[in-house]
PDB file of all heavy atoms in Angstrom:
ATOM      1  N   ASP A 365      16.828  11.751  62.571  1.00 69.00           N
ATOM      2  CA  ASP A 365      16.647  13.207  62.609  1.00 69.00           C
ATOM      3  C   ASP A 365      16.261  13.705  61.213  1.00 69.00           C
ATOM      4  O   ASP A 365      16.969  14.499  60.586  1.00 69.00           O
ATOM      5  CB  ASP A 365      17.939  13.884  63.079  1.00 69.00           C
ATOM      6  CG  ASP A 365      18.349  13.417  64.469  1.00 69.00           C
ATOM      7  OD1 ASP A 365      17.447  13.161  65.283  1.00 69.00           O
ATOM      8  OD2 ASP A 365      19.562  13.287  64.710  1.00 69.00           O
ATOM      9  N   LEU A 366      15.133  13.215  60.757  1.00 71.00           N
ATOM     10  CA  LEU A 366      14.735  13.502  59.384  1.00 71.00           C
ATOM     11  C   LEU A 366      14.380  14.967  59.202  1.00 71.00           C
ATOM     12  O   LEU A 366      13.575  15.519  59.946  1.00 71.00           O
ATOM     13  CB  LEU A 366      13.539  12.630  58.980  1.00 71.00           C
ATOM     14  CG  LEU A 366      13.051  12.810  57.546  1.00 71.00           C
ATOM     15  CD1 LEU A 366      14.118  12.350  56.560  1.00 71.00           C
ATOM     16  CD2 LEU A 366      11.757  12.055  57.320  1.00 71.00           C
ATOM     17  N   VAL A 367      15.001  15.560  58.215  1.00 81.00           N
ATOM     18  CA  VAL A 367      14.702  16.929  57.806  1.00 81.00           C
ATOM     19  C   VAL A 367      14.299  16.876  56.334  1.00 81.00           C
ATOM     20  O   VAL A 367      14.894  16.137  55.547  1.00 81.00           O
ATOM     21  CB  VAL A 367      15.917  17.858  58.001  1.00 81.00           C
ATOM     22  CG1 VAL A 367      15.601  19.260  57.529  1.00 81.00           C
ATOM     23  CG2 VAL A 367      16.340  17.866  59.469  1.00 81.00           C
ATOM     24  N   ILE A 368      13.286  17.638  55.977  1.00 91.00           N
ATOM     25  CA  ILE A 368      12.851  17.652  54.584  1.00 91.00           C
ATOM     26  C   ILE A 368      13.996  18.148  53.708  1.00 91.00           C
ATOM     27  O   ILE A 368      14.563  19.216  53.962  1.00 91.00           O
ATOM     28  CB  ILE A 368      11.625  18.557  54.406  1.00 91.00           C
ATOM     29  CG1 ILE A 368      10.440  17.984  55.193  1.00 91.00           C
ATOM     30  CG2 ILE A 368      11.257  18.689  52.927  1.00 91.00           C
ATOM     31  CD1 ILE A 368       9.226  18.885  55.193  1.00 91.00           C
ATOM     32  N   PRO A 369      14.377  17.391  52.678  1.00 95.00           N
ATOM     33  CA  PRO A 369      15.492  17.829  51.833  1.00 95.00           C
ATOM     34  C   PRO A 369      15.123  19.050  51.008  1.00 95.00           C
ATOM     35  O   PRO A 369      13.959  19.237  50.624  1.00 95.00           O
ATOM     36  CB  PRO A 369      15.754  16.606  50.950  1.00 95.00           C
ATOM     37  CG  PRO A 369      14.440  15.893  50.900  1.00 95.00           C
ATOM     38  CD  PRO A 369      13.815  16.096  52.251  1.00 95.00           C
ATOM     39  N   ASP A 370      16.121  19.867  50.733  1.00 96.00           N
ATOM     40  CA  ASP A 370      15.917  21.023  49.861  1.00 96.00           C
ATOM     41  C   ASP A 370      15.776  20.584  48.402  1.00 96.00           C
ATOM     42  O   ASP A 370      15.116  21.256  47.606  1.00 96.00           O
ATOM     43  CB  ASP A 370      17.099  21.993  49.979  1.00 96.00           C
ATOM     44  CG  ASP A 370      17.311  22.442  51.413  1.00 96.00           C
ATOM     45  OD1 ASP A 370      16.401  23.079  51.961  1.00 96.00           O
ATOM     46  OD2 ASP A 370      18.388  22.143  51.969  1.00 96.00           O
ATOM     47  N   LEU A 371      16.422  19.469  48.077  1.00 98.00           N
ATOM     48  CA  LEU A 371      16.439  18.981  46.700  1.00 98.00           C
ATOM     49  C   LEU A 371      16.433  17.462  46.709  1.00 98.00           C
ATOM     50  O   LEU A 371      17.113  16.829  47.528  1.00 98.00           O
ATOM     51  CB  LEU A 371      17.706  19.472  45.975  1.00 98.00           C
ATOM     52  CG  LEU A 371      17.995  18.878  44.603  1.00 98.00           C
ATOM     53  CD1 LEU A 371      16.991  19.387  43.568  1.00 98.00           C
ATOM     54  CD2 LEU A 371      19.424  19.181  44.158  1.00 98.00           C
ATOM     55  N   VAL A 372      15.669  16.876  45.788  1.00 98.00           N
ATOM     56  CA  VAL A 372      15.728  15.436  45.537  1.00 98.00           C
ATOM     57  C   VAL A 372      15.998  15.234  44.053  1.00 98.00           C
ATOM     58  O   VAL A 372      15.281  15.779  43.207  1.00 98.00           O
ATOM     59  CB  VAL A 372      14.414  14.726  45.926  1.00 98.00           C
ATOM     60  CG1 VAL A 372      14.462  13.253  45.505  1.00 98.00           C
ATOM     61  CG2 VAL A 372      14.163  14.836  47.418  1.00 98.00           C
ATOM     62  N   THR A 373      17.056  14.491  43.726  1.00 98.00           N
ATOM     63  CA  THR A 373      17.301  14.099  42.341  1.00 98.00           C
ATOM     64  C   THR A 373      16.956  12.620  42.194  1.00 98.00           C
ATOM     65  O   THR A 373      17.254  11.813  43.085  1.00 98.00           O
ATOM     66  CB  THR A 373      18.766  14.326  41.925  1.00 98.00           C
ATOM     67  OG1 THR A 373      19.625  13.519  42.727  1.00 98.00           O
ATOM     68  CG2 THR A 373      19.141  15.778  42.085  1.00 98.00           C
ATOM     69  N   VAL A 374      16.315  12.276  41.086  1.00 98.00           N
ATOM     70  CA  VAL A 374      15.939  10.885  40.829  1.00 98.00           C
ATOM     71  C   VAL A 374      16.348  10.530  39.399  1.00 98.00           C
ATOM     72  O   VAL A 374      16.153  11.309  38.480  1.00 98.00           O
ATOM     73  CB  VAL A 374      14.421  10.637  41.027  1.00 98.00           C
ATOM     74  CG1 VAL A 374      14.033  10.835  42.477  1.00 98.00           C
ATOM     75  CG2 VAL A 374      13.584  11.538  40.130  1.00 98.00           C
ATOM     76  N   ASP A 375      16.928   9.351  39.232  1.00 98.00           N
ATOM     77  CA  ASP A 375      17.340   8.869  37.917  1.00 98.00           C
ATOM     78  C   ASP A 375      16.959   7.394  37.818  1.00 98.00           C
ATOM     79  O   ASP A 375      17.818   6.503  37.835  1.00 98.00           O
ATOM     80  CB  ASP A 375      18.852   9.055  37.740  1.00 98.00           C
ATOM     81  CG  ASP A 375      19.331   8.709  36.333  1.00 98.00           C
ATOM     82  OD1 ASP A 375      18.477   8.408  35.473  1.00 98.00           O
ATOM     83  OD2 ASP A 375      20.552   8.716  36.106  1.00 98.00           O
ATOM     84  N   PRO A 376      15.647   7.109  37.721  1.00 98.00           N
ATOM     85  CA  PRO A 376      15.178   5.724  37.766  1.00 98.00           C
ATOM     86  C   PRO A 376      15.415   4.990  36.447  1.00 98.00           C
ATOM     87  O   PRO A 376      15.703   5.616  35.414  1.00 98.00           O
ATOM     88  CB  PRO A 376      13.675   5.882  38.025  1.00 98.00           C
ATOM     89  CG  PRO A 376      13.330   7.174  37.357  1.00 98.00           C
ATOM     90  CD  PRO A 376      14.533   8.064  37.578  1.00 98.00           C
ATOM     91  N   PRO A 377      15.278   3.661  36.439  1.00 97.00           N
ATOM     92  CA  PRO A 377      15.329   2.903  35.181  1.00 97.00           C
ATOM     93  C   PRO A 377      14.102   3.209  34.327  1.00 97.00           C
ATOM     94  O   PRO A 377      13.251   4.034  34.696  1.00 97.00           O
ATOM     95  CB  PRO A 377      15.358   1.445  35.644  1.00 97.00           C
ATOM     96  CG  PRO A 377      14.718   1.472  36.996  1.00 97.00           C
ATOM     97  CD  PRO A 377      15.096   2.787  37.600  1.00 97.00           C
ATOM     98  N   ARG A 378      13.955   2.515  33.199  1.00 96.00           N
ATOM     99  CA  ARG A 378      12.872   2.810  32.257  1.00 96.00           C
ATOM    100  C   ARG A 378      11.491   2.694  32.875  1.00 96.00           C
ATOM    101  O   ARG A 378      10.551   3.357  32.429  1.00 96.00           O
ATOM    102  CB  ARG A 378      12.962   1.883  31.042  1.00 96.00           C
ATOM    103  CG  ARG A 378      14.209   2.106  30.240  1.00 96.00           C
ATOM    104  CD  ARG A 378      14.141   1.477  28.874  1.00 96.00           C
ATOM    105  NE  ARG A 378      15.450   1.553  28.234  1.00 96.00           N
ATOM    106  CZ  ARG A 378      15.962   2.650  27.707  1.00 96.00           C
ATOM    107  NH1 ARG A 378      15.262   3.761  27.725  1.00 96.00           N
ATOM    108  NH2 ARG A 378      17.161   2.644  27.160  1.00 96.00           N
ATOM    109  N   ALA A 379      11.347   1.859  33.886  1.00 97.00           N
ATOM    110  CA  ALA A 379      10.038   1.700  34.524  1.00 97.00           C
ATOM    111  C   ALA A 379       9.597   2.958  35.247  1.00 97.00           C
ATOM    112  O   ALA A 379       8.427   3.078  35.634  1.00 97.00           O
ATOM    113  CB  ALA A 379      10.076   0.522  35.499  1.00 97.00           C
ATOM    114  N   GLY A 380      10.484   3.914  35.449  1.00 98.00           N
ATOM    115  CA  GLY A 380      10.127   5.163  36.116  1.00 98.00           C
ATOM    116  C   GLY A 380      10.002   5.003  37.618  1.00 98.00           C
ATOM    117  O   GLY A 380      10.434   4.006  38.207  1.00 98.00           O
TER     118      GLY A 380
END
Side-chain angles (χ1 to χ4, degrees):
D365 300 325
L366 182 65
V367 178
I368 296 174
D370 303 297
L371 171 71
V372 174
T373 62
V374 295
D375 186 5
R378 295 195 189 284

